[in-house]
Amino acid sequence: MNNSQFLTVLKESFKTYLQTGARSNKKLCVLHGAISEDLQEKLNDNYKVYSLGHETGKEKKISGRYLEKTVDITITKNNKAVAGIAVKYVMSNYKQNSNNYFENMLGETANIRSAKIPYFQIFIIPDNIPYFKKGEEIAKSEHINEHDLKKYITLSKDNVNEFLHTPVKTLVFIVHIQNSDGDHKFANKKEFEEYYLHKDFDMILSNLVFNFDNATIYNDYEEFIQKTVYYIKSL
């Protein structure tokens, strides 16, 4: 799967989210399933990939050093977990939750990597997302900037062999939802959903520029998967 195909999957996952709601896992089946199928194709028959939307359609648990964790995508060899990948696709209300997302990511990575199992992270977010208040009113649009990603930039500079809370490799993937009406304003969640379900739009790479270091790959799905597969096969 190349970048263009990955963007198509993200668009499909976004539309599924609009159709089924934030609590449904159907959007995860679309995204996690596509990534898992790509991994399975690139790994040889000695490996098996588990996730929602792929083959059995079930996630697998990995025994970390401190607790067992259900992982978005698990890769096994000879029925033993050899790697895990967490996938986070944020579609609204990012800024109020960003620290919790990040701290949870550090904790789950440390738990699994401390058990000597490689762990990878995929973080996806549009560069402009709605902030929903209670009652589903849209209070504002959140524009992603360098301040929002400062912690990920710092993480990208970590020595992954020294810091077990750092994923072996992280993909930060920022997209732009492009429509013919430009920066369209929405009053509430229903308007937002109806617009993107019935109007054509494109999911493209954001033109935002950030200086990530070696531990993070920015806006290049192909490179991330290639390096992840190479690492797993080298074990």
Side-chain angles (χ1 to χ4, degrees), residues 50-65:
Y50 295 86
S51 78
L52 295 174
H54 177 65
E55 294 191 352
T56 64
K58 294 181 179 179
E59 296 170 323
K60 201 171 183 66
K61 291 183 178 180
I62 294 180
S63 295
R65 179 173 176 82

Side-chain angles (χ1 to χ4, degrees), residues 62-107:
I62 294 180
S63 295
R65 179 173 176 82
Y66 307 104
L67 49 87
E68 197 173 53
K69 165 73 176 172
T70 300
V71 174
D72 293 331
I73 299 173
T74 299
I75 299 96
T76 67
K77 185 177 183 181
N78 300 324
N79 295 318
K80 180 181 179 182
V82 295
I85 302 175
V87 184
K88 189 71 180 176
Y89 189 0
V90 180
M91 298 181 186
S92 67
N93 296 47
Y94 172 64
K95 300 200 181 196
Q96 71 176 21
N97 298 309
S98 65
N99 287 343
N100 286 338
Y101 291 148
F102 190 74
E103 289 168 1
N104 289 341
M105 181 271 288
L106 295 180

Side-chain angles (χ1 to χ4, degrees), residues 124-146:
I124 306 157
I125 190 169
D127 55 14
N128 181 11
I129 59 175
Y131 177 84
F132 297 119
K133 292 175 66 176
K134 290 183 179 179
E136 302 191 336
E137 174 190 350
I138 295 180
K140 59 183 176 180
S141 290
E142 295 186 334
H143 297 270
I144 303 304
N145 56 44
E146 187 165 356

Side-chain angles (χ1 to χ4, degrees), residues 146-194:
E146 187 165 356
H147 174 75
D148 299 320
L149 296 180
K150 184 177 179 181
K151 45 191 169 286
Y152 289 94
I153 294 170
T154 301
L155 186 77
S156 75
K157 300 173 183 178
D158 282 354
N159 182 330
V160 300
N161 296 317
E162 182 177 349
F163 298 112
L164 295 181
H165 62 263
T166 304
V168 173
K169 194 67 69 177
T170 300
L171 172 65
V172 173
F173 206 84
I174 303 180
V175 299
H176 179 72
I177 301 174
Q178 186 178 60
N179 60 65
S180 57
D181 295 334
D183 192 12
H184 192 87
K185 303 295 183 184
F186 304 97
N188 54 52
K189 189 174 183 179
K190 184 177 180 181
E191 280 188 18
F192 179 81
E193 291 172 348
E194 289 294 318

